[in-house]
Amino acid sequence: MTPIVIKADKPVIYLYPEESMDISVQLNLKESKFTTVYPKFNGNNTWNVKAKPNGDILIKNKTYPYLFWEAESYISQETNEGFIINEENAEKFLEEKLDILGLNEKEKTGFITFWLPVLLKNKLSLCTFQTEKFFSKNYELNINPKPDSMIRVFLTIKKLERPINIKEQKLESVERKGFTAVEWGGSNIKKY
């Protein structure tokens, strides 16, 4: 693992309870500082919301599709495994891997439209999906009541000048059942 200053770009949190309910979402960062939060926390790094089964999130009579945050972090990420992606296979790569990781069409579209331009611009990239170990060390997410299914996807991207040899990362599927919470984001690591 390599500690480096990274920017957590566009992490968004979706909530899909089985019925409308009040939910508390707390995000605790370690060795990081928030640069943007929208909508603002109600207090103590916490959003108190009413969420609906269709994914709508209500705060003070306003409806949001997700909760958004960004941060600057001095953290470690896994880079011993991953995928070497070029501009020709970038779109297919994202579609296939996000299916495995359990994102629905709306979430995949948001993820791909944000990260595909980065991969196309890089031309050649090392992509690694960070594991639960990464989240527990860096970005602790506490949701109450606790979801039945939690999907967290964080992609780190490093631009490469030439191909490298790396062990291909094995991804595990997550089954969506009951109250499901989804978070996706990533980092375009520019210094390596």
Side-chain angles (χ1 to χ4, degrees), residues 29-153:
L29 305 184
K30 302 170 185 177
E31 298 187 49
S32 305
K33 66 177 182 176
F34 288 108
T35 56
T36 310
V37 173
Y38 183 78
K40 290 183 179 173
F41 291 128
N42 304 98
N44 195 28
N45 296 350
T46 302
W47 291 284
N48 293 306
V49 308
K50 180 175 279 300
K52 296 184 174 185
N54 69 355
D56 285 349
I57 297 171
L58 287 80
I59 302 175
K60 296 181 182 175
N61 298 319
K62 287 187 178 181
T63 303
Y64 302 89
Y66 49 72
L67 305 171
F68 167 83
W69 64 276
E70 286 189 330
E72 287 183 358
S73 309
Y74 185 76
I75 60 176
S76 298
Q77 69 278 341
E78 299 286 338
T79 54
N80 344 353
E81 298 179 343
F83 306 91
I84 305 303
I85 304 304
N86 60 44
E87 57 190 326
E88 288 81 32
N89 66 3
E91 184 177 335
K92 182 178 179 189
F93 161 77
L94 291 174
E95 289 173 347
E96 287 176 356
K97 301 312 179 202
L98 296 176
D99 276 342
I100 292 169
L101 294 169
L103 270 58
N104 68 23
E105 292 304 317
K106 177 174 83 171
E107 297 152 4
K108 284 191 318 190
T109 298
F111 189 101
I112 291 169
T113 56
F114 190 84
W115 291 108
L116 181 59
V118 173
L119 295 176
L120 295 177
K121 184 177 180 184
N122 282 359
K123 300 199 184 312
L124 186 66
S125 301
L126 167 60
C127 294
T128 304
F129 290 96
Q130 299 302 309
T131 64
E132 184 53 42
K133 181 178 173 184
F134 167 84
F135 289 114
S136 61
K137 283 182 66 179
N138 301 302
Y139 307 130
E140 182 185 352
L141 180 60
N142 296 304
I143 300 176
N144 190 14
K146 187 175 180 182
D148 301 303
S149 303
M150 174 77 87
I151 299 170
R152 298 185 83 185
V153 176

